[in-house]
Amino acid sequence: MKKMGPDASGDELYWDPIASVEAMFPFDENRLRPTPEHVFLGNWEDRNWRNVPGPFYGAMTDSCWVGRIYAPRHFLYGDDNDGDSEFLYRQPRDSDDLTAVLRGMQADPFSGWARDGDVHWTPALVREWWGNRNRLLEWIAEKQRHWIYGDEAEREAVSGLLDYRAYIDADLANDLRLYLYFLDNGNGPLPGVRLPDV
């Protein structure tokens, strides 16, 4: 089994990014949202259901389609309304991922991101989310049909849809098992530890 990232402490298989946010936040004095307190104003109740379980999630984010500029293997766009708010389809697994994700979140003019997912996700909710993944797969297929013939940004976002689909089919279940262990124990599992079922 592979670590989620090279920054995982010791031999743990799960890297907790929250401890690194303050130190790694991409400060830019010319930004309107220069600190985490200005960026993470999203509420759990408003989260986009497409967010992958984990510490970060989009809730009432913008529809400017900027996240993929910074972290194309993490951000996607989608809402049930006409606008396409941003959400996270892959949690950061190391410091490079986290820096890119934070830059994308910092670019959100609505400050609709949140970093308190660990407080709200429970093992039961993670399993419920995973159990409803067919809804997500249907949404991905529908968006792909719609965006494949769209403008340049939509066609580029199709690559994110395909990556999300591949992630669901391959590695996401194991990443969720690592996250379930983290939620249950407050730390990442060591090699050889039996992981909970998703």
Side-chain angles (χ1 to χ4, degrees):
M1 195 177 302
K2 188 178 174 186
K3 289 182 185 180
M4 285 186 73
D7 292 325
S9 63
D11 291 326
E12 290 181 7
L13 301 170
Y14 177 83
W15 180 66
D16 179 12
I18 295 302
S20 301
V21 170
E22 297 292 333
M24 296 179 59
F25 197 80
F27 177 75
D28 178 348
E29 64 186 27
N30 296 319
R31 294 261 185 174
L32 296 175
R33 287 159 300 286
T35 68
E37 290 70 29
H38 294 95
V39 171
F40 297 115
L41 298 177
N43 295 310
W44 176 256
E45 296 77 22
D46 298 324
R47 75 190 179 285
N48 188 316
W49 64 271
R50 298 159 187 88
N51 285 288
V52 164
F56 298 106
Y57 59 91
M60 302 296 287
T61 56
D62 69 23
S63 57
C64 298
W65 288 46
V66 295
R68 291 185 57 75
I69 294 169
Y70 300 95
R73 299 218 53 220
H74 298 272
F75 288 96
L76 263 173
Y77 320 114
D79 201 282
D80 293 321
N81 303 319
D82 291 334
D84 287 313
S85 63
E86 297 186 10
F87 66 91
L88 214 60
Y89 77 91
R90 182 181 278 113
Q91 294 286 332
R93 304 170 109 181
D94 59 39
S95 58
D96 291 338
D97 284 354
L98 180 58
T99 298
V101 165
L102 290 175
R103 288 191 184 284
M105 291 175 175
Q106 189 182 30
D108 174 22
F110 294 165
S111 301
W113 290 96
R115 61 176 170 173
D116 61 354
D118 295 346
V119 174
H120 298 288
W121 283 108
T122 64
L125 284 176
V126 171
R127 290 182 176 105
E128 179 183 336
W129 184 92
W130 178 248
N132 291 325
R133 66 190 175 281
N134 283 338
R135 175 185 180 203
L136 186 57
L137 293 170
E138 290 169 6
W139 174 81
I140 289 171
E142 176 60 31
K143 276 295 185 185
Q144 183 180 351
R145 285 190 293 273
H146 178 72
W147 285 347
I148 197 72
Y149 299 110
D151 61 24
E152 184 178 342
E154 289 174 334
R155 292 192 309 274
E156 188 284 325
V158 168
S159 65
L161 294 171
L162 296 174
D163 188 41
Y164 197 5
R165 171 63 194 250
Y167 185 39
I168 293 167
D169 291 342
D171 297 329
L172 180 53
N174 190 63
D175 286 352
L176 291 177
R177 293 175 74 209
L178 294 169
Y179 187 56
L180 285 169
Y181 185 97
F182 175 79
L183 290 176
D184 282 338
N185 298 281
N187 56 277
L190 296 173
V193 170
R194 187 179 188 284
L195 296 176
D197 294 328
V198 69

